[in-house]
Amino acid sequence: MMDPQPHLLIVDDDERIRGLLQKFLIRNGFLVSAARDAAHARRILAGLDFDMIVLDVMMPGEDGVSLTKSIRETSSTPIMLLTAKGETEDRIAGLEAGADDYLSKPFEPKELLLRINAILRRVPDEGDVDTTPKFLNLGPIRYDIERGEMWQGDDLVRLTATESQLLKIFSATPGEPISRAKLVEDLGRDRGQAQERAVDVQITRLRRKIETDPKQPRYLQTVRGAGYMLAPD
């Protein structure tokens, strides 16, 4: 039985870009819906579930960062932001709002395709469940390694695809520091300071979900000169 085609939502106010991306992604095996702005996207999202959202930052009306933050209140659907070249603050704000990755305009469609596939591979498979799960205890937080789920008491803590992948990477070698460059590599991203900075932002977001005091982290520690380390109880 063939796997269902991933369904993407493209949100961009530029009709030409929207149309080109839609045609390109359909040719590469995706189902694609498109929205012309945030309000249009909200109406579509109210009635449909998507495997991923590709979202332009600069749009008239509500911008992409604001929409990302709103989506994250109720959904962990992966989000890829499209940003104008040089808009570093917008990229960081987007990651802090909950985006999984960003791509600067102009970009090669093939690079977008690679990024989309990399993110979709990081989404936990809900059907891949072991009957003997292993856990890491992080104070009041319990992380189920097999399921890729994080719990606080009886409440499931919502994780983005990137946050889930980071926890999977750290839980493979608890108590051992992992460099920022290695994290970038394991996340399937291009090397460089910009992507290492993006990892820093994702770590900050993850600490807010794990730590009692994110500014004085106990469990997701910074190891000077070596990177980051998960230190469970």
Side-chain angles (χ1 to χ4, degrees):
M1 184 176 177
M2 293 181 64
D3 292 334
Q5 292 174 291
H7 193 180
L8 309 181
L9 175 62
I10 306 294
V11 188
D12 198 306
D13 63 297
D14 187 317
E15 184 177 357
R16 185 184 65 85
I17 292 176
R18 207 166 57 235
L20 288 172
L21 288 181
Q22 194 166 16
K23 290 177 182 177
F24 173 77
L25 292 169
I26 288 172
R27 285 201 308 270
N28 282 277
F30 295 95
L31 294 173
V32 184
S33 297
R36 61 185 172 272
D37 56 26
H40 189 196
R42 286 180 181 277
R43 291 195 294 273
I44 294 174
L45 288 167
L48 290 172
D49 290 325
F50 292 89
D51 295 290
M52 187 171 171
I53 301 167
V54 179
L55 176 58
D56 188 31
V57 169
M58 297 300 292
M59 296 185 294
E62 183 179 12
D63 65 26
V65 173
S66 174
L67 180 57
T68 296
K69 194 171 185 178
S70 177
I71 291 170
R72 278 290 168 261
E73 292 175 359
T74 58
S75 171
S76 57
T77 300
I79 297 173
M80 162 75 77
L81 290 180
L82 304 179
T83 70
K85 197 170 183 65
E87 291 177 345
T88 304
E89 291 183 3
D90 285 332
R91 292 198 294 269
I92 298 301
L95 292 169
E96 289 177 336
D100 292 272
D101 201 359
Y102 64 82
L103 189 58
S104 298
K105 293 181 176 181
F107 55 83
E108 289 292 331
K110 286 184 179 179
E111 183 177 1
L112 175 65
L113 183 63
L114 289 172
R115 296 283 191 96
I116 288 173
N117 285 327
I119 290 174
L120 290 176
R121 283 195 299 270
R122 300 203 299 260
V123 177
D125 184 353
E126 294 180 359
D128 186 16
V129 178
D130 195 294
T131 55
T132 57
K134 298 177 182 178
F135 297 94
L136 289 179
N137 292 309
L138 310 166
I141 298 292
R142 186 175 80 259
Y143 178 64
D144 184 329
I145 297 172
E146 301 296 336
R147 293 175 181 261
E149 294 176 347
M150 193 162 76
W151 296 81
Q152 183 164 14
D154 294 327
D155 297 325
L156 180 65
V157 180
R158 192 183 301 278
L159 296 171
T160 67
T162 302
E163 290 165 352
S164 180
Q165 182 66 5
L166 281 171
L167 275 174
K168 184 183 295 185
I169 294 167
F170 284 122
S171 64
T173 55
E176 295 183 17
I178 304 175
S179 70
R180 296 157 82 212
K182 184 69 166 66
L183 289 171
V184 169
E185 181 182 339
D186 288 349
L187 288 172
R189 300 183 180 179
D190 298 330
R191 296 180 181 179
Q193 289 187 344
Q195 286 294 348
E196 289 187 12
R197 172 60 181 139
V199 166
D200 292 339
V201 175
Q202 300 288 1
I203 293 289
T204 298
R205 281 184 51 81
L206 193 50
R207 279 174 172 163
R208 291 175 190 153
K209 298 181 179 182
I210 292 176
E211 304 286 354
T212 302
D213 181 2
K215 293 182 179 179
Q216 299 289 330
R218 156 67 181 84
Y219 299 103
L220 187 46
Q221 300 178 6
T222 299
V223 181
R224 182 170 293 183
Y228 296 106
M229 177 180 74
L230 190 67
D233 292 324

